[in-house]
Amino acid sequence: FFFFFFFLDYLLMIFGSQKDEIEATYRQEAMGSLADIANSLALGIMSKLDEFAQWSLTGLKDKHGPTRSNSAFLFGILCHYCGDATVKYFPAALEGLTAMFNETDNVVRDNACGSVGRMIISAPTAVPLAQVSVRIHNEKSHLFSTANI
């Protein structure tokens, strides 16, 4: 954990790579790195939740699918380790995550669904299950229609 404070300046540089003029691959790798860092810090991430959540929410709006996928994974990690403290970010996160349910890339959809699952596990009463399940059902019906098989 001590190492983290020395690494903070580097994290800020990684976050700076979220600007549109930087190649999509760099944004994807930066978001993946943030997710790996959050996962490695485990409960130590609580002190930096606000920064990491903002980075994740920014990434959920990216035009590049793999960057959104890594952002969804990051948000799920934050929910896993920070629990109820992430609830204040749920409305913005759900907006981005549910939009990802209709992606053609299975990895993007998988990470979006996984993140919503971690949201439900971390704070079950804070997720509007009726709205989320309807959205998943509608997308699932589309995915398994005979035209797509």
Side-chain angles (χ1 to χ4, degrees):
F1 187 73
F2 181 71
F3 171 73
F4 176 74
F5 294 104
F6 290 107
F7 198 60
L8 187 56
D9 288 337
Y10 181 68
L11 283 178
L12 295 174
M13 184 180 74
I14 290 174
F15 177 63
S17 73
Q18 289 295 303
K19 294 187 169 98
D20 280 339
E21 65 268 10
I22 303 297
E23 285 187 42
T25 303
Y26 292 143
R27 294 192 314 271
Q28 172 189 350
E29 290 174 1
M31 198 57 67
S33 296
L34 289 170
D36 289 340
I37 291 165
N39 200 26
S40 296
L41 287 172
L43 294 175
I45 196 63
M46 292 279 297
S47 65
K48 296 296 176 189
L49 171 62
D50 292 334
E51 291 92 336
F52 275 77
Q54 288 304 318
W55 294 331
S56 176
L57 295 175
T58 298
L60 289 175
K61 298 174 189 171
D62 197 273
K63 59 187 171 196
H64 185 239
T67 302
R68 288 192 307 275
S69 180
N70 285 348
S71 300
F73 181 70
L74 171 58
F75 195 77
I77 294 294
L78 297 176
C79 291
H80 178 74
Y81 289 114
C82 300
D84 286 341
T86 58
V87 169
K88 63 185 174 183
Y89 301 108
F90 279 16
L94 280 171
E95 184 179 331
L97 293 167
T98 56
M100 293 167 62
F101 292 165
N102 63 0
E103 291 278 341
T104 56
D105 184 341
N106 290 335
V107 174
V108 174
R109 278 197 321 265
D110 178 65
N111 278 340
C113 290
S115 186
V116 170
R118 286 185 176 197
M119 291 169 71
I120 293 167
I121 290 169
S122 69
T125 60
V127 178
L129 294 176
Q131 293 172 356
V132 172
S133 63
V134 165
R135 184 72 189 253
I136 291 172
H137 175 70
N138 290 342
E139 296 307 328
K140 182 179 158 188
S141 298
H142 167 72
L143 294 174
F144 295 108
S145 71
T146 55
N148 292 327
I149 297 180

